[in-house]
Amino acid sequence: MSPTPLLRVENLRVHFPVQRSLFSKPEAWVRAVENVSFTLRTGETIGLLGESGCGKTTLGRAILRLGPVTAGSIHFDGTDITHLEGRALREHRRRFQMIFQDPFSSLNPRFTAGQIVGEALEIHHLVKDSAARDRRISELLESVGLDPRLADRFPHEFSGGQRQRIGIARALAVEPQLIVCDEPVSALDVSVQAQVVNLLQDLQKQRGLAYLFISHDLAVVEHLAHRILVMYLGQVMEEAPAGGLSQQPLHPYSQALISAVPTVDTASKRRRIVLSGDPPSPLSPPTGCPFHPRCPVAQPRCRTETPMLRDLGEGRRVACHLV
Ligand code: SF4
């Protein structure tokens, strides 16, 4: 793993306006991502863990410049890409790709597998002629464990796992350095999930890819990620090395998440922490600690003072007054 960060995200914010019409003034702002900072190295996987609606996907899209950035900065391979536009952005786009949750709706049903994979090769002028294009498509399909003879088939003729493999081959076509994987296995059967996760790990070893792996499934994230960021209401509550989080979650929200994971270890004394209520709306987030309305150990100061994400050493950062 390279010591220099491939990706550096600093104080990133994504706010969406709530407007009556396109030209009216915003009546309020949805604070989808608030002050998120982290680095990601070549060959490394960071898992983004949290309930749905916590801002994981918005953060992933903002990093790939597929969504708006309100404030903060994104440095990719030494270049500030936060405000890149037009041709400069297109040139960088080749270097980061996304794999989507639903392998069916993310593939054009009118294109064959070969056309889906080959489209990016043509857009970015990566092949000289049609013979080179066909050879490259075969290589890419083989690299994700698909028979190249299936290149003429349409997405509906493949299983869910095979469709996700086509999505991965499409992402690999442009030889990216970073892939944002947005819940790539949550729509698949459990038996197929393991195959796709193993494929992603093999590809990472072979190509030195960096992954930002978005998921709500702790088991999948712990298996694949080197480090995990736990998000709540658009903010990072805790960062921990994989393994460290389930062994010793420090933030009360992480503790509640981990306690909800079923275990077959009957000797385990793990007590289920049931959180009251639903997560607050990002339209009007609570003052102080965003978790205080549901935190079982909240103190009076938690209502007014926002805890900083403090570095505790050994790869751990926690945003809680009590830790
Ligand atoms: Fe709970 Fe307070 Fe810590 Fe927030 S800062 S997690 S409310 S104890």
Side-chain angles (χ1 to χ4, degrees):
M1 216 182 292
S2 161
T4 12
L6 175 70
L7 175 72
R8 199 172 78 242
V9 176
E10 282 176 358
N11 300 320
L12 196 72
R13 288 183 176 181
V14 181
H15 296 176
F16 295 106
V18 179
Q19 294 165 288
R20 277 188 196 278
S21 70
L22 194 58
F23 302 106
S24 62
K25 276 193 178 164
E27 293 171 5
W29 292 87
V30 175
R31 295 161 194 271
V33 175
E34 274 291 271
N35 283 329
V36 171
S37 302
F38 67 93
T39 57
L40 174 63
R41 289 170 291 168
T42 298
E44 186 183 28
T45 302
I46 284 190
L48 275 185
L49 188 69
E51 295 164 291
S52 34
C54 73
K56 309 182 294 282
T57 298
T58 307
L59 174 62
R61 292 180 64 84
I63 288 169
L64 297 190
R65 295 292 323 283
L66 295 170
V69 173
T70 308
S73 65
I74 306 159
H75 285 80
F76 182 81
D77 206 11
T79 305
D80 185 347
I81 62 162
T82 322
H83 303 292
L84 283 189
E85 295 293 344
R87 192 171 169 189
L89 179 59
R90 274 199 301 280
E91 278 168 12
H92 268 82
R93 277 245 164 85
R94 230 192 91 183
R95 304 165 70 193
F96 34 77
Q97 292 290 305
M98 191 154 186
I99 300 171
F100 299 90
Q101 176 177 5
D102 183 348
F104 193 63
S105 62
S106 67
L107 303 179
N108 188 334
R110 294 197 193 90
F111 280 15
T112 64
Q115 287 169 326
I116 290 167
V117 175
E119 193 183 19
L121 296 172
E122 284 164 16
I123 290 172
H124 292 282
H125 309 291
L126 298 176
V127 281
K128 283 197 300 252
D129 50 37
S130 60
R133 176 182 173 275
D134 291 348
R135 267 199 310 278
R136 185 77 184 117
I137 290 169
S138 296
E139 279 168 21
L140 285 162
L141 291 176
E142 256 177 46
S143 71
V144 297
L146 287 174
D147 187 339
R149 288 173 297 182
L150 304 179
D152 291 333
R153 296 205 183 164
F154 289 91
H156 72 269
E157 297 178 83
F158 292 93
S159 68
Q162 287 175 319
R163 286 197 285 259
Q164 195 53 289
R165 286 171 191 266
I166 296 170
I168 296 170
R170 175 178 58 185
L172 294 177
V174 292
E175 297 185 6
Q177 293 164 280
L178 164 69
I179 299 183
V180 172
C181 309
D182 186 7
E183 303 263 11
V185 295
S186 56
L188 305 177
D189 290 343
V190 176
S191 57
V192 183
Q193 283 186 4
Q195 293 169 15
V196 174
V197 165
N198 290 340
L199 171 65
L200 288 170
Q201 278 184 316
D202 290 345
L203 292 169
Q204 182 172 52
K205 280 187 206 132
Q206 290 159 15
R207 297 163 186 252
L209 293 164
Y211 293 140
L212 191 60
F213 194 91
I214 298 169
S215 180
H216 63 275
D217 186 333
L218 177 70
V220 174
V221 170
E222 283 237 299
H223 181 74
L224 198 75
H226 299 98
R227 286 186 288 143
I228 299 174
L229 299 180
V230 180
M231 284 188 73
Y232 184 79
L233 215 60
Q235 300 184 36
V236 175
M237 297 286 106
E238 178 164 1
E239 175 179 345
L245 191 70
S246 56
Q247 292 296 315
Q248 194 192 12
L250 297 179
H251 193 282
Y253 177 60
S254 312
Q255 289 167 357
L257 274 187
I258 306 295
S259 80
V261 177
T263 173
V264 287
D265 179 5
T266 49
S268 166
K269 298 274 190 298
R270 190 190 278 169
R271 184 176 54 88
R272 173 87 198 265
I273 302 168
V274 181
L275 296 177
S276 56
D278 295 323
S281 164
L283 254 176
S284 53
T287 55
C289 173
F291 188 54
H292 87 254
R294 303 173 78 201
C295 179
V297 291
Q299 310 285 308
R301 69 186 284 213
C302 304
R303 291 195 206 108
T304 50
E305 284 177 45
T306 307
M308 302 300 292
L309 188 62
R310 283 180 302 117
D311 193 340
L312 305 184
E314 297 184 358
R316 300 204 81 149
R317 293 189 298 161
V318 181
C320 174
H321 294 309
L322 300 191
V323 178

